Amino acid sequence: MATYDVIIAGAGSVGLPAAFFLAEHKVKVLVIDELPSCGQGQNKSAIGGVRATHSDPAKIQTCQLSLEVFASWKDKYGDDIHFQRGGYCFPVYEEEHEKALKDLLVVQKEYGLDIDWVEGEGLARLLPGINRDGLRGGTFSPGDGNISPMMTARAFYKQAVRAGVEFRFGEKVTGLAGGNGSGIEVRTDKGKHAAGKFLNAAGAGAAEVGRLMGIELPIEPDSHEGGVTEPVKPFFRPLVVDIRAFPGSRNFYFYQEQGGHVVFCLTPEPIIPGLNRDSTSDFLPQSARRLIRLFPRLRNARVRRVWRGLYPMTPDGVPIVDRVRDREGYYVAAGFCGQGLMLGPGIARNIVSLMTTGSTLLPEDIFRSYSLYRDFTRPSEALK
Ligand SMILES: Cc1cc2nc3c(=O)[nH]c(=O)nc-3n(C[C@H](O)[C@H](O)[C@H](O)COP(=O)(O)OP(=O)(O)OC[C@H]3O[C@@H](n4cnc5c(N)ncnc54)[C@H](O)[C@@H]3O)c2cc1C
């Protein structure tokens, strides 16, 4: 049985950067994923938005770390992950939304976020062709942006392999033993492996992997759909979040990636719990209506493809990143809801620090937001 310092379950948005950063610390790592190659879980469902503008201080600081990694990746490692710093824009048409976003600005500025309120005129310059009827203005955070989820997964994978990480694809973690100070034995449908430490980064499968060692993780997936149009001439750069609720959807967000394709996603109302990933017949008509209502000039854009993926949800919309008490060597980084791509590298830097030095990079009182032992009934953060 081969022995490693760390075994990671999951080669996704979080497991891949964690593996790479561990290997940079000279840690011997094995990553196991049941799918045939890297990023094939929820990572490839993401539309690619990456932002530090949140309301939770832990998410703000984590995503600031992530953005540093994304922005410097090409210079440092040479791979193009299609990072584009186009910012995030929340256009506002309703008085109560204006008040809520302006109140939030105070907290966001306290944490050093580059974000401001932009009046209607300025917003229309950022988003040429936006529907001006009732437009009050909106927030704009120019430091945020977007990346290609697949190119990013590939880049982390490539550098991880180069740094010595071993990967076993098409292999499912089916059992765990140990956790009492003598390491952890990882059983799979193909064999057994042993490690000093184990990281559960299994995304939508994390609760199941938790139960393999009697750990209850409150993570329940629900599904969200995305779509992409044919390329059209680039005319806007920010990722736009329309926070208005309409029948059938809570909010809607989209951006134009570097090649001109408009990528979009919608939060269904009510949510659709479960693991079903078959596209629905509701998503496209709803999205098209919302897109054209906001950007009438996109009415002739043709949609190329739609897909449905999962948000691994926690009750309060905040991930679980922690060392498990009473199971020595067992760590969790899961429950990333709709934000695992943007949180991934920042979380990975912290969990790697926790595993190698015993403390996180973020201050303990901030990182506590991610605790497995927190009160999950507190009011939830905005889910996207
Ligand atoms: C439509 C849509 C749009 C989204 N847009 C964005 C966005 O713009 N920005 C953003 O930040 N996030 C977005 N997300 C959310 C993001 O995709 C997820 O939060 C993120 O991918 C979760 O990362 P993860 O590493 O936890 O899981 P994953 O990337 O799914 O990785 C987990 C891996 O674990 C493997 N696994 C599970 N169980 C086992 C097992 N027993 N044995 C072995 N392997 C196992 C899986 O095969 C998978 O590859 C979006 C999601 C959807 C559905």
Side-chain angles (χ1 to χ4, degrees), residues 8-17 32-51 63 88 145 147 149 168-174 188 200-206 208-209 212 222-227 239 253 255 264-266 277 283 307-312 333-344 384:
I8 301 177
S13 307
V14 181
L16 288 166
I32 302 174
D33 200 296
E34 62 183 326
L35 294 174
S37 64
C38 64
Q40 296 298 314
Q42 301 322 308
N43 179 84
K44 74 171 180 187
S45 300
I47 66 166
V50 291
R51 65 180 156 105
C63 285
Y88 259 63
I147 55 174
R168 296 182 73 91
F169 289 113
E171 186 163 335
K172 184 177 166 91
V173 174
T174 53
T188 71
N200 177 353
E208 193 183 322
V209 172
L212 297 178
D222 60 51
S223 65
H224 293 244
E225 290 175 84
L239 191 149
Y253 42 102
Y255 71 100
F264 52 92
C265 186
L266 169 146
R277 295 185 66 179
F283 170 69
W307 63 90
R308 182 168 168 204
L310 306 172
Y311 278 17
F336 286 93
C337 311
Q339 300 164 347
L341 186 70
M342 61 182 92
L343 286 161
K384 177 68 212 180

Side-chain angles (χ1 to χ4, degrees), residues 25-322:
H25 280 77
K26 308 281 172 237
V27 174
K28 192 175 175 210
V29 184
L30 169 67
V31 181
I32 302 174
D33 200 296
E34 62 183 326
L35 294 174
S37 64
C38 64
Q40 296 298 314
Q42 301 322 308
N43 179 84
K44 74 171 180 187
S45 300
I47 66 166
V50 291
R51 65 180 156 105
T53 39
H54 296 272
S55 51
D56 179 305
K59 286 189 184 178
I60 293 175
Q61 294 191 15
T62 305
C63 285
Q64 284 172 329
L65 287 174
S66 291
L67 281 166
E68 276 171 34
V69 173
F70 296 136
S72 60
W73 189 271
K74 195 170 174 197
D75 286 345
K76 260 189 173 160
Y77 303 106
D79 321 293
D80 187 358
I81 59 170
H82 295 196
F83 176 70
Q84 181 177 230
R85 210 188 278 279
Y88 259 63
C89 213
F90 287 62
V92 167
Y93 291 85
E94 289 167 21
E95 193 179 343
E96 59 168 313
H97 289 156
E98 177 170 346
K99 184 174 174 336
L101 290 187
K102 282 184 171 169
D103 288 349
L104 199 53
L105 277 179
V106 180
V107 184
Q108 291 171 326
K109 280 176 181 288
E110 252 173 46
Y111 283 93
L113 287 174
D114 181 11
I115 178 164
D116 247 312
W117 180 261
V118 181
E119 296 301 336
E121 199 62 41
L123 209 75
R125 274 195 299 277
L126 286 168
L127 305 173
I130 188 169
N131 189 341
R132 306 278 303 265
D133 196 11
L135 181 66
R136 304 173 73 88
T139 57
F140 179 54
S141 50
D144 296 330
N146 53 77
I147 55 174
S148 155
M150 283 310 292
M151 299 300 278
T152 305
R154 182 76 207 158
F156 276 120
Y157 170 71
K158 186 175 128 191
Q159 298 304 334
V161 169
R162 207 169 262 171
V165 176
E166 289 177 40
F167 284 84
R168 296 182 73 91
F169 289 113
E171 186 163 335
K172 184 177 166 91
V173 174
T174 53
L176 294 166
N180 43 19
S182 55
I184 296 199
E185 185 183 282
V186 180
R187 297 171 196 151
T188 71
D189 52 356
K190 305 260 167 74
K192 285 183 188 171
H193 315 278
K197 292 176 179 160
F198 174 78
L199 175 62
N200 177 353
E208 193 183 322
V209 172
R211 280 193 289 273
L212 297 178
M213 231 185 203
I215 302 157
E216 277 308 315
L217 300 174
I219 299 171
E220 288 186 15
D222 60 51
S223 65
H224 293 244
E225 290 175 84
V228 58
T229 69
E230 64 183 358
V232 292
K233 193 173 166 191
F235 69 99
F236 70 105
R237 284 170 54 84
L239 191 149
V240 183
V241 185
D242 181 1
I243 54 177
R244 289 173 295 175
F246 288 105
S249 61
R250 203 181 305 163
N251 60 35
F252 178 66
Y253 42 102
F254 59 97
Y255 71 100
Q256 190 171 27
E257 55 81 64
Q258 288 175 9
H261 306 88
V262 177
V263 199
F264 52 92
C265 186
L266 169 146
T267 303
E269 176 65 43
I271 60 157
I272 311 171
L275 300 173
N276 192 338
R277 295 185 66 179
D278 294 340
S279 289
T280 68
S281 52
D282 290 337
F283 170 69
L284 193 50
Q286 277 191 12
S287 300
R289 268 197 299 276
R290 292 201 64 147
L291 189 61
I292 296 165
R293 188 180 287 134
L294 210 59
F295 263 130
R297 64 187 283 184
L298 279 171
R299 65 188 168 278
N300 293 322
R302 279 177 300 215
V303 172
R304 275 217 171 144
R305 188 168 73 81
V306 293
W307 63 90
R308 182 168 168 204
L310 306 172
Y311 278 17
M313 294 304 297
T314 59
D316 58 5
V318 177
I320 299 167
V321 189
D322 212 342

